[in-house]
């Protein structure tokens, strides 16, 4: 079949040139539309269920919300793991699905199972988090106003102007607000005022609800017209709230203003955002919808921001971006273009050196743009983005191998024939192409076989390297098409007057020395073989086992991501004050561009973080402007040392934004190593976690060892006594309403300001409930309206409670996290697991799981251990079939172990570790070694040529 295609391509030369132009044109078209991203999206298929239960302690949220939802999710198909985090007023449950599960199918399954869940009164309807991924964060901005704008106004503009516009951008999954104060209207009362008019809290709430309603009255016929009937009873301003009628005392109306103070207020904040020298500001975070092109979406977001900044709605407020994915996109393009240009330049120089004639070098070099654009077109058709691990991984030296074989054979045959007439030249080119198609085809196929291990990878390593393998295979296919069909066609144009071989003088000078060396080696072949085998054994058994092991090499995202956990129970305001000190320390370093701090959790309620937690983004200046440090690792080391000295009781961890979120979703922790202990008794879990923490800290290389979950914190617990409530004729509902509404600030209505709406809350004066004793004096009304102190029907005490409750596969768990510095992950994990097994006994009913990137490393190691020998076996079969000789197959495989030793020696000399990336390189190196031998021997071993045409 290939022979027939070669004949047809030479017969229809202009058609083949047109075909080449179409392929390259489609490649250029694809390049303009392909997404550009630094790394493949390796985050798992996850569906998150977020349920708010305002005002409830973590234990209550777990019991009444988290566990019922987890039970309902047990029979969802294709779920690999279920994890949850429960915090004050919030439940977050993550379902990780099998790789390849369709996004909306998974969400539909979860939604169907949620219908069977019955939640308590006060719990909001469970919502599925946005259809995004851990790599979805593409844009961050800060709202900057003049001195007349406070953070409440900034957040109001963000919520009602900026977020709705950005949410309309195609490809945006969600835009969340962080920081600021949520505007609301507060009706603040004092118990003495209510007693004066013989009113209860229920009377106030019912009055507001009864006076904040609208109704529709169908239509009124009036001649040929229909008049729509509606009542306008909704509250529209603060004055109307003040004038809400409560009751009548001896014919005198009592209004809300008589018993309470109505004012604009702010809801209890759960987050504080600060940047550089600004203590409080408002941030917006734009998330990309799963599967969208980040390049196009980012461009649309920036256009929307420009429109907003130019609009009158912003009221003197400006959106200022401080982080977007463009840095990674630009860096990726720069790196890829540098890699491609360097590779092409080196290939062309080598071609000129060995092929001699510029025309020959040009013929072979044309393979590169054709194969490159062919690969881009195939990437477009298969939805593979442009990135460092796709286009950036193409080895153009391998791509041109087939063309080198074909072009060199054509040139040699033409030189030997001395033909100058076109008909004779055409015949020589045709015969040569038909003779050489088999070695060219087999040579390229050997390289393609090298990427079988990558195509069969699973999980994170598969998501990382399968796109790279497919891209290289596409480029090899393009190179093979060019070598078999276009090199002969182009040769008929470039060598229409014949070809005279030219030998590079440098090579002519080198050849005698090479021949002398080979002769000496052949004369002493037994000694050479012995030394080679000894060197091979020495490196394989002495050096190779000493190489460090890790999952992936370090990939720089530009920014530094720091997580700081202050002592459990630290208030939001105190944590923000610590954050101010951190900002001042970091900004002392001249190489830092900006620092951004997030204290607490975002308004979207999608992250269960306590008030004692800070997430910090630090951006260094461009490296060309650095004056103090030489590498990013030096910056991180200096910052870590300084911050740990200033805050010795604070748990810091340094990482990068994307890899932190991806590893958190994939492994259940963002740490390099984590020990997850599961069981039922929290005290036993805490004791085991503390022992594990002490053990890990004693291992060399351990850094930032701590328990990932925040510890217990004090809670003010109000326990209703049902017998006393019955004795005093007090409803449990009235006690609950006092806690939820008057103390917790549950909304009792909304007030519309144009298109915006704000909550109306009824609450006690905070000065009155400033202590547990004061809360105990709060009046609760009996059924006949008699007020009695809360302590008469409830017990008030301070107890230890949980800050965050983490569950995995239906059981509570604690996770001890650890980062590894100065050692390879493989040896560190092996030592940690051995010591854990010897030093820490695990009680019956409790289980331990080791989490982290090393899991992926172990899985990839087992995969390569199985698939690499299989791949080498396939190569051996191909060689045996090609040459018809077992001896030839064995001889051509001999370079593989020596290639392994040379690669291991190179890693040792450069201080690099074995990882999945080096495994990929070794796999390619092995096959390239065999391919080199095949190319050298294909012309000398019988059976590799076909002369019957």
């Amino acid at each position: 079949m290939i022979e027939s295609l070669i004949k047809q391509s030479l017969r229809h030369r202009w058609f083949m040139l047109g075909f080449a132009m179409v392929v390259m044109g489609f490649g250029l078209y694809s390049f303009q539309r392909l997404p550009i991203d630094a790394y493949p999206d390796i985050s798992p298929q996850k569906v998150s269920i977020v349920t708010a239960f305002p005002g409830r302690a973590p234990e209550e949220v777990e019991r009444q919300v988290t566990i019922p939802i987890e039970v309902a999710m047990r029979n969802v198909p294709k779920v690999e793991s279920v994890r949850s985090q429960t915090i004050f007023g919030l439940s977050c449950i993550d379902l990780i699905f099998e790789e390849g599960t369709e996004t909306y199918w998974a969400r539909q399954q979860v939604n169907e199972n949620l219908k069977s869940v019955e939640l308590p009164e006060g719990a909001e309807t469970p919502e599925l988090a946005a259809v995004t991924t851990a790599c979805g964060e593409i844009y961050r901005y800060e709202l900057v106003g003049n001195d007349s704008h406070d953070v409440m106004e900034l957040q109001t503009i963000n919520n009602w102007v900026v977020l709705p516009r950005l949410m309309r951008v195609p490809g945006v999954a969600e835009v969340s607000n962080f920081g600021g104060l949520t505007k609301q209207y507060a009706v603040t009362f004092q118990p003495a005022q209510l007693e004066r008019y013989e009113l209860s809290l229920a009377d106030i709430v019912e009055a507001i609800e009864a006076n904040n309603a609208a109704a529709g009255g169908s239509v009124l016929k009036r001649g040929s017209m229909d008049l729509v009937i509606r009542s306008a009873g909704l509250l529209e301003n603060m004055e109307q709230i003040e004038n809400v009628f409560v009751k009548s005392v001896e014919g005198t109306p009592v209004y809300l203003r008589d018993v309470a103070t109505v004012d604009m207020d702010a809801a209890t904040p759960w987050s504080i955002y600060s940047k550089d020298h600004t203590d409080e500001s408002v941030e917006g975070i734009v998330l990309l919808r799963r599967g969208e092109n980040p390049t196009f979406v980012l461009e649309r977001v920036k256009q929307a921001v420009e429109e907003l900044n130019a609009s009158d709605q912003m009221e003197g407020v400006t959106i200022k971006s401080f982080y977007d994915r463009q840095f990674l996109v630009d860096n990726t393009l720069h790196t890829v273009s540098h890699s491609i240009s360097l590779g092409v330049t080196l290939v062309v120089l080598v071609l000129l050196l060995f092929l001699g004639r510029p025309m020959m070098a040009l013929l072979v070099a044309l393979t590169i743009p054709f194969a490159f654009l062919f690969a881009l077109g195939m990437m477009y058709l298969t939805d593979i983005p442009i990135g460092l691990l796709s286009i950036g991984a193409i080895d153009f030296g391998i791509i041109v191998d087939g063309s080198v074989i074909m072009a060199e054979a054509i040139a040699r045959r033409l030189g030997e024939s001395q033909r100058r007439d076109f008909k004779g030249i055409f015949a020589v080119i045709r015969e040569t192409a038909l003779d050489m198609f088999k070695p060219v085809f087999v040579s390229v196929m050997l390289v393609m076989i090298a990427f079988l291990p990558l195509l069969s990878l699973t999980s994170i390593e598969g998501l990382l390297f399968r796109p790279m393998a497919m891209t290289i295979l596409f480029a090899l296919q393009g190179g093979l098409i060019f070598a078999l069909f276009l090199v002969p066609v182009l040769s008929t144009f470039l060598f229409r007057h014949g070809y005279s071989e030219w030998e590079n003088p440098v090579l002519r000078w080198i050849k005698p020395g090479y021949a002398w060396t080979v002769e000496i080696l052949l004369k002493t072949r037994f000694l050479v073989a012995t030394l080679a085998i000894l060197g091979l054994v020495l490196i394989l058994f002495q050096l190779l086992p000493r190489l460090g092991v890790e999952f992936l090499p370090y990939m720089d995202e530009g920014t530094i991501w720091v997580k700081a956990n202050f002592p459990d129970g630290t208030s939001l305001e105190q944590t923000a004050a610590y954050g101010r000190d951190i900002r001042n320390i970091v900004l002392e370093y001249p190489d830092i561009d900006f620092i951004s701090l997030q204290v607490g959790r975002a308004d979207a309620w999608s992250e269960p973080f306590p008030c004692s937690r800070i997430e910090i983004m630090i951006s260094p200046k461009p490296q060309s402007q650095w004056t103090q440090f030489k590498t990013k690792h030096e910056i991180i080391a200096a910052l870590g040392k300084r911050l740990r000295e200033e805050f010795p009781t604070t748990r810091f961890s340094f990482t990068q934004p994307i890899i932190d979120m991806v590893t958190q979703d994939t492994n259940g922790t963002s740490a390099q190593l984590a020990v997850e202990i599961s069981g039922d008794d929290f005290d036993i879990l805490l004791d085991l976690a503390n022992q594990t923490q002490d053990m890990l800290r004693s291992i060399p290389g351990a850094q930032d060892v701590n328990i990932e979950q925040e510890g217990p914190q004090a809670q003010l617990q109000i326990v209703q006594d049902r017998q006393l409530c019955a004795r005093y004729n007090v409803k449990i509902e009235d006690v609950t309403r006092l806690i939820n509404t008057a103390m917790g600030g549950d909304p009792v209505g909304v007030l519309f300001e144009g298109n915006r709406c704000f909550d109306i809350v009824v609450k006690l004066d905070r000065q009155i409930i400033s202590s547990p004793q004061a809360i105990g004096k709060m009046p609760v009304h009996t059924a006949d309206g008699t007020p009695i102190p809360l302590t008469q029907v409830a017990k008030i005490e301070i107890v230890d409670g949980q800050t965050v409750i983490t569950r995995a596969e239906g059981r509570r768990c604690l996770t001890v996290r650890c980062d590894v510095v100065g050692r390879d992950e493989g040896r560190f994990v092996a030592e940690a697991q051995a010591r854990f097994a010897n030093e820490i006994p695990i009680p019956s009913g409790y289980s331990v799981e080791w989490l982290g990137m090393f899991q992926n490393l172990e899985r990839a190691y087992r995969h390569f251990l199985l698939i690499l020998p299989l791949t080498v076996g396939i190569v051996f079969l191909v060689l045996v079939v090609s040459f018809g000789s077992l001896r030839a197959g064995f001889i051509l495989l001999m370079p593989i172990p020596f290639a392994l030793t040379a690669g291991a020696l190179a890693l040792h000399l450069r201080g690099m570790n074995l990882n999945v990336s080096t495994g990929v390189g070794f796999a390619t190196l092995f096959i390239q070694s065999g391919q080199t031998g095949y190319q050298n021997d294909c012309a000398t071993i019988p059976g590799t040529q076909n002369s019957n045409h």
Side-chain angles (χ1 to χ4, degrees), residues 668-690:
T669 176
S670 60
Q672 290 176 282
L673 169 67
V675 185
E676 183 179 82
I677 308 170
S678 303
D680 298 322
D681 191 314
F682 182 81
D683 292 333
I684 295 177
L685 289 177
L686 185 59
D687 179 61
L688 292 172
N690 284 325

Side-chain angles (χ1 to χ4, degrees), residues 843-886:
S844 176
Y846 291 79
S847 59
V848 176
E849 184 174 0
W850 294 76
L851 308 174
M853 276 297 184
F854 80 94
Q855 291 178 295
N856 309 314
L857 174 65
E858 290 179 347
R859 184 174 54 249
Y861 173 77
R862 292 193 298 268
H863 176 84
F864 279 120
L865 204 60
L866 173 66
I867 203 71
L868 277 180
L870 180 62
T871 304
V872 174
I874 294 174
V875 171
F876 176 72
L877 290 177
V878 172
L879 293 173
V880 170
V881 171
S882 298
F883 290 105
S885 168
L886 287 172

Side-chain angles (χ1 to χ4, degrees), residues 584-647:
N584 292 333
I585 290 171
V586 173
L587 291 174
E588 291 177 3
Y589 293 88
D591 295 344
I592 299 300
D593 185 20
F594 72 81
I595 176 172
S596 167
L597 273 72
Q598 297 177 167
V599 182
R601 62 195 185 208
D603 292 353
W605 292 88
S606 57
E607 296 177 324
F609 297 152
C611 297
S612 57
R613 178 189 177 103
I614 304 180
E615 290 193 325
I616 308 167
M617 176 179 284
I618 301 172
S619 179
K621 294 177 181 177
Q623 194 164 3
S624 60
Q625 301 177 19
W626 291 2
T627 59
Q628 187 175 5
F629 301 103
K630 294 181 180 179
T631 67
K632 187 178 177 183
H633 292 289
E634 291 182 5
I635 296 178
I636 293 173
L639 290 175
K641 183 175 183 297
R642 179 73 186 280
L643 291 176
R644 291 184 180 98
E645 288 175 353
E646 293 289 335
F647 304 95

Side-chain angles (χ1 to χ4, degrees), residues 558-575:
T559 54
I560 302 169
W561 190 249
V562 186
K563 291 184 287 189
N565 291 60
F566 288 87
D568 310 317
T570 305
S571 68
L572 186 72
E573 293 75 16
Q574 182 59 59
T575 306

